[in-house]
């Protein structure tokens, strides 16, 4: 058994050593002033990575899906309309979560493996001007496609519709500018490009989203993921008890963000771009076909259709058992015939690419 896995799947990614070391720090109570000070510092660090001045910026307890649910539950009331861009598995999940919350879902679709056209998304909002939210996944983890969310914010800022962006795989990996792009609400996850273990979902809400939270007429249907209550817990003075948050995970995220900011947000984006391009240029030589078209590819997550001579399940099992390398299987139409390869955070290195390609060459020989 390989204790030391190289995690090159769609997440979790191999955490930064600083984040792993931080897990050994003494556990603190969830209202300990020292813990709350760490959460404040996490907020400051997240603001730098999200590129925002938003006061309501905090780590929600749970994975990226908790961030998704917290934003949708807090910003949508039953019966309201949400326009959702759907070109992969996580766009589908937004639809499902919004539907379960009693919202009316308007889908804007593009085929899996292609990017959404921002013009289509804006046209759907014009057709449904009463929509409370437009929700789009910036980095579609199921296909490796980058959706262009930058044009949406300035257009929606002229309307009463808020822009919600899923940045689970985007944050810390590819350019994301919450304030400059006029994104009203955004959520992510600790275990991808931020280089920490899974378990926390960074969320940031801008002034329009906070106003929507404040003036809603029905109670938020989730108590645990109520961003208003979480704001009072983490950021009010004195703090109001809400739930028993984990100081252990907070320390790890704090450390991962520290490492990212030490390198610099833009240099980290450049590192992911360089390493992703290295992998994507080498895969076709081994018979793989990269799914996302040029110009809409995520460097940090590559979905590639396997060469005919590789059996998906068998090859992934061998990769894990013989080489200690994890890659992800395909989702939806790509299940059983594609891999999702993550180069995120601490794993976004030339060494990861060379190690993986070497192992795949051995598998192809066999």
């Amino acid at each position: 058994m390989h204790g030391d896995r190289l995690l090159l799947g769609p997440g979790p990614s191999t955490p930064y050593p600083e984040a792993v070391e931080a897990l050994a720090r003494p556990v603190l109570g969830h209202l300990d002033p020292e813990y709350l000070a760490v959460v404040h510092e996490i907020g400051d660090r997240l603001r730098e990575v999200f590129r925002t001045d938003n006061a309501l910026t905090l780590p929600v307890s749970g994975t990226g899906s908790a961030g998704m649910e917290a934003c949708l539950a807090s910003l949508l009331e039953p019966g309201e309309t949400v326009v959702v861009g759907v070109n992969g598995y996580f766009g589908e999940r937004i639809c499902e979560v919004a539907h379960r919350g009693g919202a009316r879902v308007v889908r804007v679709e593009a085929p899996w493996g292609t990017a959404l056209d921002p013009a289509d998304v804006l046209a759907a909002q014009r057709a449904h001007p009463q929509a409370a939210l437009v929700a789009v996944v910036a980095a579609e983890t199921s296909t490796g496609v980058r959706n262009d969310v930058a044009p949406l914010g300035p257009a929606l800022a002229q309307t009463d519709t808020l822009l919600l962006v899923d940045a689970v795989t985007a944050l810390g990996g590819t350019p994301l500018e919450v304030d400059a792009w006029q994104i009203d609400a955004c959520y992510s996850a600790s275990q991808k490009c931020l280089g920490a273990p899974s378990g926390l979902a960074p969320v940031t809400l801008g002034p329009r989203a906070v106003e929507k939270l404040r003036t809603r007429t029905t109670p938020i249907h989730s108590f645990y993921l109520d961003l208003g209550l979480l704001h009072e817990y983490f950021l009010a003075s004195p703090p109001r008890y809400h739930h028993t948050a984990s100081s252990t995970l907070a320390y790890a995220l704090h450390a991962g963000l520290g490492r990212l900011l030490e390198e610099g947000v833009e240099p980290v984006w450049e590192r992911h771009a360089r390493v992703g391009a290295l992998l994507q240029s080498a895969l076709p030589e081994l018979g793989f076909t990269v799914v996302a078209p040029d110009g809409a590819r995520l460097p940090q997550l590559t979905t590639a259709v396997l060469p005919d001579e590789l059996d998906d399940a068998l090859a992934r099992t061998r990769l894990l058992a013989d080489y200690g390398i994890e890659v992800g299987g395909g989702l939806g139409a790509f299940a059983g015939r594609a891999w999702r390869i993550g180069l995120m955070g601490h794993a976004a290195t030339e060494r990861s690419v060379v190690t993986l390609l070497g192992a795949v060459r051995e598998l192809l020989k066999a």
Side-chain angles (χ1 to χ4, degrees):
M1 179 184 153
H2 281 266
D4 188 20
R5 296 250 195 266
L6 179 57
L7 299 177
L8 301 181
S13 62
T14 301
Y16 289 118
E18 293 89 338
V20 176
E21 285 162 20
L23 292 170
R25 291 181 67 174
V27 173
L28 295 176
H30 52 282
L31 291 170
D32 188 305
E34 198 178 310
Y35 164 64
L36 293 169
V38 170
V39 174
H40 272 267
E41 278 185 30
I42 288 171
D44 291 339
R45 291 178 176 190
L46 285 173
R47 277 183 272 274
E48 285 190 63
V49 182
F50 272 125
R51 314 281 270 217
T52 185
D53 293 327
N54 290 342
L56 202 166
T57 304
L58 49 82
V60 172
S61 295
T63 58
S65 297
M68 178 189 286
E69 296 228 20
C71 288
L72 290 167
S74 299
L75 298 175
L76 279 176
E77 300 199 54
E80 285 188 330
T81 299
V82 56
V83 174
V84 184
V86 184
N87 63 333
Y89 181 88
F90 291 95
E92 291 284 1
R93 183 173 292 187
I94 292 175
C95 293
E96 172 71 11
V97 172
H99 175 70
R100 287 181 180 216
R104 181 166 165 261
V105 177
V106 174
R107 298 163 62 98
V108 179
E109 303 199 49
W112 282 45
T114 65
L116 291 163
D117 185 338
D120 292 347
V121 177
L122 294 173
Q125 188 278 334
R126 284 195 300 276
H128 301 272
Q130 81 290 2
L133 274 185
V134 164
V136 177
V137 179
E140 182 47 80
T141 317
S142 58
T143 59
V145 166
R146 180 184 67 82
N147 284 318
D148 186 9
V149 297
L152 302 176
L156 293 173
Q158 312 303 310
T159 73
D160 292 330
T161 306
L162 303 179
L163 173 60
L164 171 63
V165 171
D166 175 317
V168 168
T169 298
L171 188 66
T174 29
L176 180 82
E177 304 273 1
V178 167
D179 286 1
W181 297 353
Q182 293 176 269
I183 296 169
D184 295 298
C186 190
Y187 59 88
S188 188
S190 53
Q191 78 276 16
K192 307 229 181 192
C193 298
L194 300 183
S198 58
L200 290 174
V203 167
T204 186
L205 258 55
R208 294 207 313 160
V210 170
E211 183 63 12
K212 167 80 186 185
L213 191 63
R214 215 178 51 75
T215 56
R216 57 180 294 145
T217 55
T218 58
I220 293 169
H221 65 81
S222 172
F223 177 86
Y224 190 70
L225 298 171
D226 179 330
L227 288 172
L229 293 179
L230 289 172
H231 185 259
E232 289 177 6
Y233 172 21
F234 287 133
L235 302 172
S237 184
R240 286 182 57 182
Y241 165 69
H242 177 258
H243 72 284
T244 306
S246 166
S247 66
T248 309
L249 290 174
Y251 277 138
L253 177 58
H254 183 268
L257 289 167
R259 168 72 182 260
L260 191 162
L261 291 170
E262 200 177 301
E263 188 177 340
V265 175
E266 287 173 18
V268 169
W269 291 344
E270 285 158 16
R271 170 163 61 87
H272 282 87
R274 186 178 70 248
V275 171
L278 187 67
L279 174 72
Q280 289 164 4
S281 64
L283 284 173
E285 295 164 20
L286 297 177
F288 287 79
T289 309
V290 178
V291 168
D294 254 343
R297 283 181 187 172
L298 292 171
Q300 68 270 49
L301 195 286
T302 302
T303 298
V305 176
L306 276 71
D308 292 340
E309 58 269 38
L310 275 189
D311 174 89
D312 166 50
L314 190 63
R316 275 192 295 128
T317 301
R318 290 254 346 255
L319 206 54
L320 195 59
D322 298 353
Y323 303 98
I325 301 172
E326 177 186 276
V327 297
L331 290 175
F334 297 108
R337 60 187 200 92
W339 283 355
R340 292 180 299 147
I341 303 166
L343 296 167
M344 298 186 274
H346 189 49
T349 61
E350 281 82 358
R351 182 181 173 188
S352 295
V353 176
V354 171
T355 305
L356 175 66
L357 294 174
V360 170
R361 282 192 188 96
E362 291 302 311
L363 292 179
L364 285 166
K365 267 189 220 162

